[in-house]
Amino acid sequence: MPLPAYDLTGRTAFVTGAASGIGRATAALLAQAGAAVHCADVDEKGLHDTRTLIIDAGGTATTHTLDVTDRDQVHHVVETAIRAGGPLHILAAIAGIMHTSPVLETRDEDLDRVLSVNFRGVLYACQAAARSMIASGTGGSIITMASGAVDAAQPGLLCYSASKAAVVQLTKTLATELGPHAIRVNAIAPGWIRTPMTDRHDAQQQQKAEAAMVRQSPLGRVGEPEDIAHAVLHLASDASSFTTGQIFRPNGGVAMPW
Ligand code: NAD
């Protein structure tokens, strides 16, 4: 018998970035916890595979091809999802991209692209979901995806870490504005997670990169997408009903900020 506080039966979740990595694992876990899950991503094939994974496990999922950088598209898709499946209770805004370039070589188009996907994409999804949660009066939980990059400076990571710092500020600001509507807003700042985003496409390079992370972690390992999916489940569920405006750091202990 599942713990009632973690039971999402009767709830509806909208997950962006659901075609791969952390988003896929999150969509699958929320469905396993009982939620009906709207899976959204630009990657149609990946979305199809996520839906199959969920349906085969006995869950409920629908797919929505979506570019999160397009404000009108985001609002349209969220509205379509609500019309078909009823009010949203959970948003997990996970879609994101990585970019590395030294500051002195960073072009306007690099900055624009990363901010568009990682910040504006999260903002648009939060706006669309929150409007629906306020209108339906059901309350809800919004989870955004920041990164451990907000806790440490690293060469080449300006665009990415700035976009994730913006996500943190969005999360805290929204928490103050949406609390009176019983909508909680929290961010997750993962450490190194083994996904296509961190795949070096070269076994030796991969081993080297992961070994560096393992050395920094008291737990002596890198993370898996399921580690983050469980953090999302906690923040999505009633188990975290007194938690809002917080940054949750499943990072293997690599960083321990106040
Ligand atoms: P991933 O590349 O496996 O998944 C990212 C997903 O986002 C993909 O399915 C991709 O198609 C989708 N996406 C990209 N641009 C999009 C757009 N414009 N519209 C809709 N969907 C789009 O990467 P991941 O590691 O699973 O990353 C998920 C999130 O977690 C990202 O926000 C990432 O920044 C964050 N994160 C990852 C790590 C890590 O170590 N993997 C660490 C910290 C934070």
Side-chain angles (χ1 to χ4, degrees):
M1 149 95 59
L3 286 170
Y6 286 98
D7 186 1
L8 301 183
T9 304
R11 312 248 175 120
T12 301
F14 192 95
V15 180
T16 74
S20 174
I22 293 169
R24 170 176 290 168
T26 295
L29 190 68
L30 296 182
Q32 197 185 332
V37 182
H38 293 286
C39 304
D41 204 291
V42 273
D43 173 3
E44 258 183 75
K45 160 84 174 66
L47 274 182
H48 172 79
D49 292 348
T50 300
R51 181 173 179 274
T52 304
L53 188 76
I54 293 174
I55 303 288
D56 286 355
T60 305
T62 51
T63 59
H64 306 269
T65 309
L66 171 66
D67 181 347
V68 294
T69 66
D70 183 333
R71 177 196 284 271
D72 291 342
Q73 212 185 101
V74 173
H75 285 257
H76 174 72
V77 167
V78 168
E79 274 170 26
T80 306
I82 291 165
R83 234 177 286 124
L88 289 185
H89 305 89
I90 298 157
L91 166 70
I94 296 176
I97 55 170
M98 170 55 76
H99 170 81
T100 55
S101 61
V103 173
L104 301 190
E105 288 163 30
T106 295
R107 303 165 307 167
D108 281 357
E109 50 265 45
D110 300 328
L111 191 56
D112 289 347
R113 177 79 192 137
V114 178
L115 286 176
S116 282
V117 179
N118 291 5
F119 176 57
R120 287 205 189 88
V122 175
L123 172 65
Y124 299 157
C126 287
Q127 288 174 325
R131 280 192 190 117
S132 125
M133 288 171 184
I134 291 170
S136 68
T138 55
S141 174
I142 293 175
I143 299 106
T144 61
M145 205 47 61
S147 164
V150 299
D151 293 322
Q154 277 180 51
L157 273 192
L158 172 71
C159 294
Y160 183 76
S161 56
S163 72
K164 295 301 188 178
V167 167
V168 168
Q169 286 309 124
L170 167 66
T171 304
K172 292 181 178 181
T173 307
L174 262 184
T176 65
E177 295 179 3
L178 298 181
H181 299 281
I183 301 168
R184 300 181 295 104
V185 192
N186 292 285
I188 296 180
W192 175 288
I193 309 300
R194 206 176 268 151
T195 71
M197 184 178 277
T198 51
D199 189 346
R200 295 288 177 265
H201 305 290
D202 173 283
Q204 247 183 342
Q205 289 291 321
Q206 187 74 19
Q207 214 180 6
K208 208 173 138 194
E210 290 195 2
M213 289 299 148
V214 166
R215 274 196 300 277
Q216 292 174 43
S217 164
L219 296 178
R221 70 171 176 93
V222 297
E224 300 294 339
E226 291 71 24
D227 291 314
I228 308 308
H230 280 91
V232 177
L233 171 61
H234 177 69
L235 291 173
S237 74
D238 293 345
S240 61
S241 62
F242 195 47
T243 304
T244 196
Q246 304 303 308
I247 313 303
F248 188 17
R249 293 179 168 83
N251 62 11
V254 165
M256 302 184 190
W258 284 96

